[in-house]
Amino acid sequence: MSDVLDRPLTEQEATAATRLRVIDCDIHPSIYAHSDLNEFLPKRWQEHLKTFGGHLRTPYIGTTPYPRSSPLICRRDAWPPTGGVPGSDLAFMRKQHLDPLDVEFGILQVLDLFIFSQQNLEFGAAIQRAINDWQLAFWAHRDPRLKASILAGQDDTQLAIAEIERCAKTGEYIQINVSPRANEPLGRRRYWPIYARAQELGLPLGIHVGGYGGHAPTGSGWPSYYVEEHQSNAHTMAAQLASLVIEGVPERFPKLKIVFIEGGFGWIASAMWRMDRHFERFRSEVPHLKRRPSEYVKEQFWFTTQPIDEPDEARHLRQLIEWVGVERLLFSSDYPHWDFDDPRFAFKTPLTDAERNKIFNTNARAVYNF
């Protein structure tokens, strides 16, 4: 052993010792078949799923309102050779994503079956519980790099708290996930018990784009095209940031960490500037806020990088990063979706070694207590 320690490192060993490993905050696993959930799902709900399927708050039955531009919103090369849909084969995920891109930890973000958007809240809670258990059994227990999130359907607060308590006892989940397209803005007090429990448990609150709360995704109605609907995800996140901050969630829960996932970050600086400007004019309307809105954002909110805004000039992306703050950014790939960001090429502007280390690793390490 002393001989190994005393000799000079080979070039390969030196590279391995100094390489930057990636913490990917947005990996989407998929269910291979509904029968995979049977061991976690009571017989009643197995039959319900088989007979009736889901009942979403959308204008169409059994599908999303807008067709995606690639099958299942995924890369064409992400279909496993063994069958199944993209994201459903762990061995293929290792080969295509985790191993070649040197992912140290990957945070699972499950979108299957739209548990946040089920009209039948009891069915939604049953699916939510099954998927939470499935994340551990099929993914986290089979590859320790993958970390599960507690899916909590926020529109039935009592059921959500019960599920959070059940999962938190295992100590195997690293955040609590709610949907931004909820029945009401997330700053409303009806959701505060979830935030209170997240703070007590020391678990970040993850808010991943998507969901169907029964409302049109824009302020003026339903878009005509998928590209419009996709664009509206950022608008939804901006609205929820304003709701959470202005209704006083970070003031009431000062130790709560909130992570916005897959909403990009190009809009954040202007959102902070606008909130601060309005706060100066309307301070008397919101006496519960003790500080400027941007101060809460810069202390309690983080934003994953995907989809990275790509202005024509690299210096403009550089300015965006500086305005938001490099400490606020967490890398995410969105694997295996069509707008996936490869960590090797994601930023088209030079980053210092310190900045790259923060965005790709240490910021997430601190937020999630890895």
Side-chain angles (χ1 to χ4, degrees):
M1 179 64 71
S2 61
D3 178 63
V4 173
L5 292 175
D6 292 340
R7 68 170 173 77
L9 294 175
T10 66
E11 182 178 351
Q12 183 177 6
E13 289 170 336
T15 300
T18 59
R19 73 183 186 274
L20 176 62
R21 305 197 66 192
V22 172
I23 297 179
D24 186 347
C25 295
D26 187 18
I27 294 178
H28 295 290
S30 294
I31 298 169
Y32 182 84
H34 287 172
S35 58
D36 288 346
L37 298 180
N38 286 350
E39 63 181 292
F40 316 114
L41 198 60
K43 191 69 174 179
R44 171 195 172 185
W45 296 117
Q46 291 180 37
E47 293 301 321
H48 183 100
L49 180 59
K50 185 187 305 182
T51 305
F52 302 104
H55 185 188
L56 304 180
R57 302 180 180 94
T58 71
Y60 304 106
I61 299 297
T63 185
T64 57
Y66 296 91
R68 302 321 198 197
S69 57
S70 179
L72 292 175
I73 332 175
C74 292
R75 294 163 41 179
R76 292 182 178 181
D77 67 345
W79 292 79
T82 53
V85 298
S88 65
D89 185 317
L90 176 57
F92 187 66
M93 181 185 290
R94 287 178 179 140
K95 180 180 180 180
Q96 187 177 54
H97 183 63
L98 300 178
D99 295 340
L101 299 183
D102 206 7
V103 176
E104 182 178 10
F105 296 110
I107 301 177
L108 302 175
Q109 310 287 348
V110 186
L111 303 181
D112 293 50
L113 295 174
F114 298 100
I115 70 101
F116 300 114
S117 305
Q118 292 292 336
Q119 287 278 39
N120 183 331
L121 295 180
E122 190 178 5
F123 171 66
I127 291 292
Q128 154 192 295
R129 179 176 182 137
I131 289 180
N132 285 337
D133 289 342
W134 168 84
Q135 286 184 79
L136 296 184
F138 279 69
W139 299 92
H141 289 171
R142 296 179 181 180
D143 193 316
R145 290 174 291 185
L146 297 176
K147 303 299 179 182
S149 303
I150 303 173
L151 303 187
Q154 69 284 321
D155 288 316
D156 190 317
T157 304
Q158 185 176 358
L159 291 176
I161 292 295
E163 180 62 7
I164 290 168
E165 297 288 358
R166 186 186 74 88
C167 292
K169 289 177 182 177
T170 70
E172 297 190 80
Y173 298 85
I174 56 138
Q175 72 181 347
I176 297 167
N177 275 19
V178 298
S179 173
R181 289 179 177 170
N183 276 357
E184 297 181 37
L186 291 178
R188 294 289 177 87
R189 288 176 180 258
R190 64 177 291 186
Y191 303 125
W192 283 23
I194 296 173
Y195 311 150
R197 198 67 191 106
Q199 177 174 263
E200 291 164 0
L201 292 167
L203 291 174
L205 181 76
I207 305 175
H208 189 286
V209 296
Y212 300 100
H215 310 292
T218 77
S220 57
W222 293 93
S224 301
Y225 303 100
Y226 165 65
V227 67
E228 287 183 86
E229 194 269 344
H230 192 66
Q231 176 78 7
S232 73
N233 280 320
H235 306 160
T236 298
M237 300 300 258
Q240 295 296 10
L241 179 68
S243 175
L244 288 162
V245 171
I246 294 172
E247 298 209 34
V249 171
E251 177 63 38
R252 178 63 180 82
F253 306 105
K255 295 183 179 180
L256 178 64
K257 300 174 182 178
I258 303 174
V259 183
F260 277 32
I261 304 163
E262 204 183 319
F265 61 89
W267 53 270
I268 297 164
S270 63
M272 288 192 292
W273 297 334
R274 184 179 293 270
M275 284 194 292
D276 282 354
R277 180 68 169 172
H278 290 167
F279 176 67
E280 292 170 3
R281 299 291 183 90
F282 300 102
R283 187 185 296 250
S284 62
E285 187 194 20
V286 285
H288 53 277
L289 297 185
K290 309 304 179 186
R291 296 183 291 160
R292 301 169 74 198
S294 63
E295 295 180 45
Y296 295 111
V297 175
K298 292 178 179 179
E299 290 185 10
Q300 289 182 243
F301 289 81
W302 286 262
F303 306 88
T304 69
T305 56
Q306 207 281 334
I308 293 177
D309 296 278
E310 298 178 310
D312 292 336
E313 296 190 36
R315 64 187 177 89
H316 293 156
L317 180 57
R318 171 88 244 169
Q319 290 173 329
L320 280 177
I321 295 170
E322 292 172 354
W323 288 337
V324 175
V326 70
E327 294 80 9
R328 301 292 102 200
L329 299 177
L330 314 175
F331 175 75
S332 61
S333 71
D334 194 31
Y335 179 86
H337 290 172
W338 65 267
D339 51 352
F340 160 84
D341 283 331
D342 188 313
R344 296 169 297 180
F345 314 111
F347 285 87
K348 295 183 178 180
T349 188
L351 296 173
T352 67
D353 289 344
E355 290 170 337
R356 184 169 292 276
N357 192 53
K358 287 179 179 180
I359 293 173
F360 284 89
N361 191 290
T362 58
N363 288 346
R365 187 176 296 279
V367 170
Y368 292 107
N369 297 317
F370 286 131

